[in-house]
């Protein structure tokens, strides 16, 4: 088996810069798409760091999931070491082809599709809030397509020191076409349109170019990246799989998905404790984070309205419990601060965000306020008491929000100044 690739990345029409990164390494059979997010140029740094680290780790012999874990660590370290990059993150969907086998590693809401025998199937599961709601039966796939919160992702590289990587294996057949793409494609074009376009263009480069052009024609709201990998029998002429595929439209196989994500709790069919939607953190970039921020922005605005007459008094005597560097933290002050009175850290516990129930975590994301320190400490004691019991059962996967600068403001709030 050999691979004929086609690829293109494009800034689109709605963003000033292209924060997607692309990797096409034919010599080593490694291909990837990363969709970065963060203020200023941080998203670009995140996605570029991810694919560079992925490639070097892979070339040093690491399997793809380990290579992606290293990419996560590299993005995380860079974000932690530079205030201008704090909070950045990236998706990463990578394919390593070895002979007739493609192994995929995946984190985030970029996607991989397989076109086989004329039918297109999404290989990867999106790590996104709306996808989770669809799995829970709370949204239909149609509602998800245009949901205002569809850009909120629940897993990304660079957000935490460790990341859970989904892996998939596809045993390639001649004529298969694998597609990796960023959400700038899939938010603009339906799966049906993508499928029809893939079938229409036998040449992989022409297919990639056409998809990008169509996404731009549909609005081009975001950066658009597409990598197309055509699996050809050794010695085949290389005119792509689409013509052969189109001769058997609608036929699905489903046998390709041999290796489902092994330990992916949010894909489990059994009743697993699932996070509430409000617990999702926008590990996200400019356009994305604005939508995510609405969740906490309203309470902050309300607090400001209430306190306007007694700002200093109020801001200095109240407490709230929230997160700082992913740890449950007691703050003195008001979430978001009030007219110059920023909250200060009173005490940081060793209780991690992911040791909480989804409800508690959602509660703390915007800051749970208390009238006194002792009340707040009683609340923290209750969370600590719950931890042991929860440790055995909690399998949620929502990422913690980016750690805020210590001693300043709670998650999300720092985003407003970017
Ligand atoms: Mg994007």
């Amino acid at each position: 088996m050999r691979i004929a690739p086609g690829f293109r990345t494009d800034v689109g029409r709605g963003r000033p810069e292209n924060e997607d990164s692309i990797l096409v390494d034919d010599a080593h059979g490694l291909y990837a798409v990363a969709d970065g997010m963060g203020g200023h140029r941080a998203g670009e740094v995140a996605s570029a760091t991810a694919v560079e680290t992925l490639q070097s780790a892979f070339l040093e012999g690491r399997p793809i999931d380990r290579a992606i874990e290293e990419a996560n660590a590299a993005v995380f370290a860079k974000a932690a070491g530079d205030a201008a990059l704090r909070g950045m993150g990236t998706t990463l969907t990578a394919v390593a082809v070895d002979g007739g086998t493609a192994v995929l590693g995946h984190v985030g809401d970029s996607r991989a599709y397989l076109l086989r025998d004329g039918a297109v199937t999404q290989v990867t599961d999106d790590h996104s809030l709306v996808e989770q709601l669809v799995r829970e039966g709370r949204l239909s796939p149609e509602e998800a397509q245009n949901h205002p919160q569809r850009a909120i992702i629940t897993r990304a590289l660079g957000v935490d020191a460790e990341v859970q990587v989904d892996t998939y294996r596809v045993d390639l057949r001649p004529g298969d076409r694998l597609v990796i793409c960023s959400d700038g494609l899939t938010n603009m074009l339906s799966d049906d349109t993508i499928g029809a376009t893939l079938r229409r263009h036998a040449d992989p480069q022409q297919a990639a170019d056409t998809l990008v052009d169509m996404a731009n024609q549909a609005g081009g709201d975001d950066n658009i990246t597409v990598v197309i990998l055509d699996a050809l029998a050794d010695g085949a002429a290389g005119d792509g799989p689409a013509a052969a595929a189109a001769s058997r439209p609608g036929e699905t196989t489903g046998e390709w998905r041999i290796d489902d994500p092994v330990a992916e709790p949010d894909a489990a069919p059994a009743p697993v404790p699932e996070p509430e939607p409000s617990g999702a953190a926008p590990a996200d970039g400019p356009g994305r984070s604005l939508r995510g921020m609405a969740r906490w922005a309203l309470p902050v605005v309300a607090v400001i309205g209430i306190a306007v007459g007694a700002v200093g008094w109020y801001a200095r005597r109240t407490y709230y419990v929230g997160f700082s560097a992913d740890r449950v933290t007691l703050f003195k002050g008001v979430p978001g601060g009030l007219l110059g009175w920023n909250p200060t850290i009173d005490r940081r516990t060793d209780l991690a965000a992911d040791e909480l129930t989804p409800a508690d975590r959602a509660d703390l994301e915007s800051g749970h306020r208390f009238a006194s320190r002792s009340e707040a400490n009683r609340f923290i004691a209750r969370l600590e008491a719950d931890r042991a019991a929860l440790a055995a059962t909690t399998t949620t996967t929502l990422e913690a929000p980016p750690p805020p600068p210590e001693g300043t403001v709670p998650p999300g709030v720092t985003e407003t100044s970017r």
Side-chain angles (χ1 to χ4, degrees), residues 20 35 183-184 222-223 288:
D20 287 358
D35 179 352
D183 68 340
D222 193 2
N223 310 141
R288 298 173 159 204

Side-chain angles (χ1 to χ4, degrees), residues 18-377:
N18 191 348
E19 299 193 320
D20 287 358
S21 287
I22 191 169
L23 174 67
V24 176
D25 181 348
D26 279 321
H28 302 98
L30 183 65
Y31 308 88
V33 168
D35 179 352
M37 43 215 129
H40 301 299
R41 304 188 81 96
E44 209 175 307
V45 174
S47 65
T49 302
V51 297
E52 285 160 14
T53 310
L54 166 80
Q55 187 181 30
S56 55
F58 184 77
L59 295 193
E60 285 166 19
R62 251 84 78 199
I64 200 146
D65 53 343
R66 291 282 306 126
I68 291 177
E69 285 168 11
E70 286 187 31
N72 174 67
V75 178
F76 183 71
K78 221 174 232 191
D82 184 341
L85 301 176
R86 206 181 293 273
M88 72 177 179
T90 184
T91 73
L92 183 58
T93 301
V95 177
V97 181
D98 184 12
T101 302
V103 177
L104 287 79
H106 166 70
V107 173
D109 69 348
S110 299
R111 288 180 178 174
Y113 292 93
L114 176 70
L115 174 68
R116 169 172 291 174
D117 296 336
V120 173
T121 322
Q122 187 177 330
V123 178
T124 50
D125 287 326
D126 295 351
H127 301 138
S128 69
L129 174 61
V130 294
E131 184 55 35
Q132 190 174 303
L133 295 176
V134 169
R135 278 199 293 272
E136 291 170 5
R138 293 158 69 178
L139 271 187
S140 71
E142 294 72 33
E143 288 167 329
Q145 178 74 25
N146 295 308
H147 196 280
Q149 290 183 308
R150 70 177 185 277
I152 296 180
I153 62 174
T154 51
R155 229 193 273 181
L157 302 194
V159 176
D160 214 337
E162 308 214 327
V163 72
Q164 188 185 350
V165 179
D166 290 351
T167 58
Y168 305 86
R169 199 180 88 195
V170 177
D171 291 322
L172 293 170
R173 304 175 188 172
D176 281 353
R177 171 173 274 184
L178 272 171
V179 180
I180 331 170
C181 58
S182 63
D183 68 340
L185 179 76
T186 53
N187 284 336
M188 290 293 116
L189 303 179
S190 70
D191 282 7
D192 286 348
T193 302
I194 292 170
T197 308
L198 290 172
R199 283 189 289 271
R200 197 160 50 238
H201 295 280
D203 177 71
Q205 187 58 50
Q206 203 173 60
D209 288 337
T210 305
L211 285 170
V212 169
D213 291 343
M214 290 172 68
N216 271 322
Q217 280 156 24
D221 291 350
D222 193 2
N223 310 141
I224 310 152
T225 302
V226 181
V227 176
I228 293 181
L229 306 175
D230 283 352
L232 306 175
D234 289 319
D239 61 346
S247 66
R248 294 156 73 188
E251 184 182 329
T252 56
T253 61
E255 307 160 10
W256 52 270
R257 190 165 162 170
I258 293 167
D259 186 11
D260 278 349
V262 186
E264 190 201 352
D266 54 4
V272 172
E274 289 284 355
E276 292 300 315
S278 57
D284 256 345
R288 298 173 159 204
S289 59
L290 287 177
R291 285 188 287 270
M293 281 193 294
R295 206 163 28 79
W296 56 260
L298 286 177
V300 170
V301 168
V303 166
I304 289 171
I306 291 163
V308 75
V311 169
W313 173 82
Y314 185 79
R316 285 162 181 274
R317 76 175 289 279
T318 61
Y319 292 82
Y320 72 96
V321 179
F323 295 116
S324 164
D326 203 25
R327 301 287 159 181
V328 172
T329 301
L330 174 59
F331 292 88
K332 187 174 190 180
V334 174
L338 276 180
L339 303 181
W341 278 278
N342 282 328
T344 54
I345 291 179
D346 189 79
R347 175 167 77 94
R348 179 184 284 142
T349 71
D350 67 349
L351 195 54
D354 60 10
E355 293 176 302
L356 303 180
T357 65
D360 282 334
R361 190 165 46 211
D363 183 26
L364 298 195
E365 296 252 332
S366 51
H368 189 133
R369 296 198 301 276
F370 296 92
S372 70
R373 182 192 269 123
S374 56
E375 261 185 63
N377 277 325

